[in-house]
């Protein structure tokens, strides 16, 4: 990691980059408020930091000893804000993503999209490709689901976040999605992560239900190290010993920990985190209090008939009332909706 002096010239920066390339490494530049930070990616242990310390315009050179580097706050002290059209994720505004677990029909997705937009959501969620525990469960409408999401996007102006399950499907899903979702089960799918590192689209990376925070950050590093800087982390609950009352244990401690460790925005999924509709809004309040940058909430026009995740889905009315309930919490947290 090279920290350039305040006011270092472009020529000095270029000289550093040239040297990095000469050794066969890659540079990652982070333009800070008053100085340029240059990360060197590769097996840098074989060279001495002095090689760079002596160059003009260089203030300091040090090694980031953690496994994840580009993901770390050491590399990127200021929080990353991801801007998609007019929506900013990671800024002052709390971003709400909402919609059904899966796209089931034209009417279902359009009705839900209109309702969640009216209630204050800026991003529509909905799976077209669903990773299900049983191969006999509803696994999504596939391509047809993507087409329906596209229509919902056109009709409402909402951005779309939807899951991509394999590296081969990245291109197809990218045609519709504004944000590519990596499901919890795929957090360890390093081929998929590497592929997503090469696209110019933000990625919503969900934490695997058995993943340590460090493994989660390393998965983000797989994407960043391939060049894609737009990763949004999503805490969606982990498996502990109680599955009688809740589906997962929503690890809210991970939020301040991640805020400290990384510059990437963090959103919380209280739907999968709890598995029960009645706990979604209470845990949303807690997530905002803990510093989350946004929420992703499952909403279905008729949860009792939902083809997946009905018990944790809010009706559009419950969602709308829930967002109203969240407003004072958002304000108290020093944030806006
Ligand atoms: C989902 O968002 O519907 C989903 C399948 O979530 P997860 O990957 O977190 O289980
Ligand atoms: Mn779901």
């Amino acid at each position: 990691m090279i920290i350039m002096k305040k006011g270092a010239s472009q020529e000095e920066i270029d000289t550093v980059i040239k040297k990095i390339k000469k050794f066969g490494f890659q540079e990652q530049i982070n333009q800070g408020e008053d100085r340029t930070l240059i990360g060197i990616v590769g097996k840098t242990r074989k060279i001495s930091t002095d090689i760079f310390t002596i160059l003009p315009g260089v203030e300091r050179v040090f090694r980031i000893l953690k496994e994840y580097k580009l993901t770390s706050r050491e590399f990127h002290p200021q929080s990353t804000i991801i801007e998609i059209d007019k929506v900013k994720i990671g800024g002052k505004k709390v971003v709400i993503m909402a919609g059904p677990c899966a796209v089931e029909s034209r009417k279902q997705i359009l009705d839900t999209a209109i309702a969640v937009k009216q209630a204050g959501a800026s991003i529509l969620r909905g799976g077209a490709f669903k990773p299900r525990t049983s191969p006999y469960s509803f696994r999504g409408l596939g391509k047809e689901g993507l087409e329906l999401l596209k229509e919902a996007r056109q009709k409402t102006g909402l951005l779309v976040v939807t899951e991509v399950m394999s590296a081969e499907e990245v291109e197809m899903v990218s045609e519709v999605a504004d944000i590519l979702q990596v499901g919890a089960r795929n957090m360890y799918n390093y081929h998929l992560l590497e592929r997503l590192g090469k696209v110019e689209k933000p990625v919503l990376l969900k934490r695997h239900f058995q993943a340590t925070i460090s493994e989660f950050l390393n998965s983000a590093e797989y994407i960043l190290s391939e060049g894609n800087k737009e990763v949004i982390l999503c805490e969606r609950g982990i498996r502990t010993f109680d599955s009688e009352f809740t589906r997962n244990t929503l690890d809210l401690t991970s939020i301040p920990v991640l805020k400290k460790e990384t510059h990437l925005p963090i959103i919380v999924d209280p739907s999968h985190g709890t598995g029960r509709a009645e706990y979604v809004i209470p845990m949303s309040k807690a997530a905002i209090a803990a510093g989350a940058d946004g929420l992703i909430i499952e909403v279905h026009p008729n949860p009792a008939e939902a083809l997946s995740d009905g018990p944790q889905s809010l009706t559009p009315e419950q969602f709308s009332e829930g967002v109203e309930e969240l407003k004072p919490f958002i304000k108290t947290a020093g944030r806006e909706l």
Side-chain angles (χ1 to χ4, degrees):
M1 176 83 198
I2 300 169
I3 302 181
M4 299 300 291
K5 285 186 180 143
K6 238 184 197 170
S9 70
Q10 191 55 48
E11 204 184 328
E12 288 168 335
I13 294 168
D14 290 343
T15 306
V16 171
I17 295 171
K18 236 192 197 156
K19 196 133 203 194
I20 292 172
K21 290 207 172 30
K22 196 180 140 214
F23 281 99
F25 300 125
Q26 271 198 315
E27 82 284 359
Q28 284 253 359
I29 301 187
N30 170 23
Q31 192 54 60
E33 255 161 49
D34 58 1
R35 62 187 80 222
T36 305
L37 282 72
I38 307 173
I40 312 178
V41 188
K43 292 197 176 71
T44 56
R45 244 163 245 175
K46 61 182 184 199
I47 56 160
S48 153
T49 52
D50 295 344
I51 292 168
F52 297 99
T53 314
I54 55 161
L55 294 178
V58 171
E59 182 170 292
R60 199 155 67 88
V61 184
F62 63 95
R63 294 182 194 278
I64 298 177
L65 296 172
K66 287 177 180 137
E67 279 178 313
Y68 49 89
K69 300 176 196 296
L70 304 172
T71 307
S72 75
R73 255 208 204 268
E74 281 158 281
F75 170 65
H76 198 287
Q78 72 276 34
S79 295
T80 286
I81 299 176
I82 296 172
E83 229 176 308
I84 319 164
D85 291 347
K86 286 193 183 77
V87 179
K88 285 185 188 168
I89 305 170
K92 193 164 178 166
K93 284 193 177 171
V94 168
V95 173
I96 302 185
M97 313 181 181
C101 178
V103 181
E104 297 171 2
S105 70
R106 185 167 183 269
K107 184 165 167 46
Q108 175 243 22
I109 193 68
L110 291 182
D111 287 356
T112 313
I114 293 163
V116 299
K117 180 174 183 179
Q118 204 169 21
S122 48
I123 300 173
L124 176 66
R125 64 146 291 147
F129 296 92
K130 296 301 302 175
R132 301 304 301 277
T133 304
S134 161
Y136 309 118
S137 302
F138 174 64
R139 290 160 75 185
L141 294 181
K143 262 193 126 154
E144 187 194 340
L146 290 180
E147 287 305 313
L148 295 173
L149 283 169
K150 196 165 159 186
E151 191 181 343
R153 186 186 192 281
Q154 279 161 356
K155 288 224 154 80
T156 59
L158 287 169
L159 299 174
V160 165
V161 56
T162 194
E163 177 158 357
V164 57
M165 289 195 352
S166 72
E168 295 73 44
E169 287 163 354
V170 168
E171 217 176 295
M172 175 181 47
V173 179
S174 294
E175 278 169 28
V176 171
D178 296 288
I179 303 172
L180 295 161
Q181 177 174 330
V182 176
R185 289 157 190 79
N186 265 326
M187 192 208 86
Y188 293 111
N189 183 344
Y190 300 125
H191 277 144
L192 174 62
L193 302 179
E194 277 177 336
R195 177 71 185 83
L196 291 169
K198 296 187 178 90
V199 300
E200 280 177 39
K201 275 249 153 120
V203 174
L204 177 76
L205 177 65
K206 297 189 95 177
R207 179 181 182 184
H208 188 275
F209 38 81
Q210 308 273 36
T212 63
I213 291 174
S214 172
E215 287 167 340
F216 190 21
L217 291 167
N218 271 299
S219 286
E221 187 81 12
Y222 264 91
I223 303 172
L224 296 184
S225 66
E226 293 294 329
N228 187 350
K229 294 181 177 155
E230 300 191 313
V231 176
I232 304 153
L233 301 173
C234 177
E235 170 59 57
R236 49 78 77 207
I238 49 172
R239 244 180 218 174
T240 55
F241 44 84
D242 194 343
S243 55
E244 186 185 348
F245 295 99
T246 54
R247 182 175 174 184
N248 288 291
T249 298
L250 185 58
D251 180 12
L252 291 179
T253 316
S254 75
I255 301 165
V257 173
L258 289 166
K259 279 280 162 204
K260 186 176 162 198
E261 286 300 310
T262 178
H263 52 91
L264 299 172
I266 297 132
I267 69 151
V268 168
D269 175 349
S271 306
H272 294 86
T274 63
R276 312 225 58 96
E278 63 189 298
Y279 307 134
V280 167
I281 297 301
M283 293 315 283
S284 297
K285 292 174 185 168
I288 289 162
D293 296 304
L295 299 162
I296 181 163
I297 296 178
E298 287 188 339
V299 178
H300 192 285
N302 186 357
E305 307 250 301
L307 298 179
S308 61
D309 288 349
Q312 68 194 34
S313 299
L314 301 182
T315 62
E317 296 72 37
Q318 287 169 332
F319 175 68
S320 169
E321 283 164 22
V323 173
E324 285 309 309
E325 255 186 71
L326 292 179
K327 284 181 179 167
F329 286 84
I330 292 171
K331 195 162 171 230
T332 306
R335 310 290 287 258
E336 290 167 8
L337 186 63

